[in-house]
Amino acid sequence: MMGKTGTPAWMVCVDILNKAKRELVTQAIETLEAEIDAKRMDIKGSLINVPDQPSDAEMKLFVVGQILDNAEQMRQRYGDYIKAVHSMGSSAKSADVEGAERARLFLMAVEKIETLIRYSKELDSWINDASMEVGIRDPALILKRTSASPRRKELINFLSKNKKMQKEGTFSGEEIRVINSASSGGLEG
């Protein structure tokens, strides 16, 4: 089966996976923006003083990269803080409890950003693998065959259930059918 425009199945898959990659990165940036808006994170200063200033999106991608590079240290530091506040029990001041809750919410956002970026990076090799399946005419079968690893199965299931992608109409109805068919495991391959 080809797309309604006669597009080869492998191209349909590559398009789906590229859309997913862009959306996952967008969701990671939106998670960062939500943390900034909630004042659990603050970005100050200028990193580069050159005439060609980085765009807002480039700067946010840089910050996302810094979060990923330092995620384990943040988990340790904030985790220790949260444990210390909880160990105070009823003697903890309300400011400490609020701080621990803010730290917990921030760590959840860090985990979400890590997951979204890990998924987007996983798509790079998957896009390549799907583009090699030129002999298959069914895009759902291509996605099914190329999603044999546990990480890719997890990712295709994530894409099929991602409420934000559904709400924003990231995928066409046909693309959703392809993703759902590939994630359901009902295809022979």
Side-chain angles (χ1 to χ4, degrees):
M1 172 184 74
M2 292 187 159
K4 291 184 173 141
T5 61
T7 306
W10 70 268
M11 284 183 166
V12 172
C13 291
V14 167
D15 190 44
I16 289 170
L17 297 173
N18 272 313
K19 283 181 182 181
K21 181 175 176 63
R22 282 190 305 273
E23 182 59 28
L24 292 169
V25 171
T26 298
Q27 286 183 22
I29 290 172
E30 288 171 350
T31 301
L32 171 67
E33 290 169 342
E35 290 304 292
I36 294 167
D37 290 346
K39 302 200 185 316
R40 288 187 288 269
M41 175 181 269
D42 191 13
I43 302 172
K44 293 182 180 175
S46 176
L47 299 171
I48 304 170
N49 282 329
V50 293
D52 189 20
Q53 288 291 321
S55 71
D56 189 48
E58 289 170 328
M59 186 60 71
K60 287 176 182 167
L61 282 173
F62 175 81
V63 173
V64 164
Q66 291 299 303
I67 289 171
L68 297 176
D69 290 346
N70 296 296
E72 196 53 46
Q73 294 164 322
M74 286 187 270
R75 266 193 285 283
Q76 183 66 43
R77 185 176 50 222
Y78 289 113
D80 289 347
Y81 172 70
I82 293 167
K83 286 177 192 172
V85 170
H86 285 288
S87 70
M88 291 180 197
S90 61
S91 65
K93 296 177 182 166
S94 65
D96 293 327
V97 173
E98 282 180 30
E101 179 62 11
R102 290 172 57 79
R104 184 186 69 79
L105 292 171
F106 176 72
L107 288 177
M108 287 174 52
V110 167
E111 179 133 350
K112 181 178 179 182
I113 290 169
E114 281 183 304
T115 300
L116 292 166
I117 296 300
R118 178 175 46 97
Y119 282 161
S120 77
K121 287 180 179 177
E122 178 72 30
L123 286 168
D124 290 332
S125 61
W126 196 350
I127 290 166
N128 184 55
D129 292 347
S131 72
M132 297 296 147
E133 297 292 339
V134 295
I136 300 174
R137 296 178 54 96
D138 181 357
L141 184 55
I142 292 174
L143 287 184
K144 170 86 172 140
R145 282 190 176 175
T146 58
S147 67
S149 75
R151 288 177 70 121
R152 287 185 182 176
K153 285 179 183 173
E154 176 186 321
L155 177 50
I156 194 81
N157 287 326
F158 178 82
L159 294 176
S160 72
K161 295 177 175 113
N162 189 294
K163 301 240 186 278
K164 188 158 184 88
M165 288 183 187
Q166 292 169 7
K167 181 179 144 194
E168 293 183 357
T170 301
F171 302 111
S172 70
E174 180 61 18
E175 290 169 332
I176 292 168
R177 187 204 62 75
V178 168
I179 292 168
N180 289 339
S181 293
S183 70
S184 70
L187 297 168
E188 291 299 316

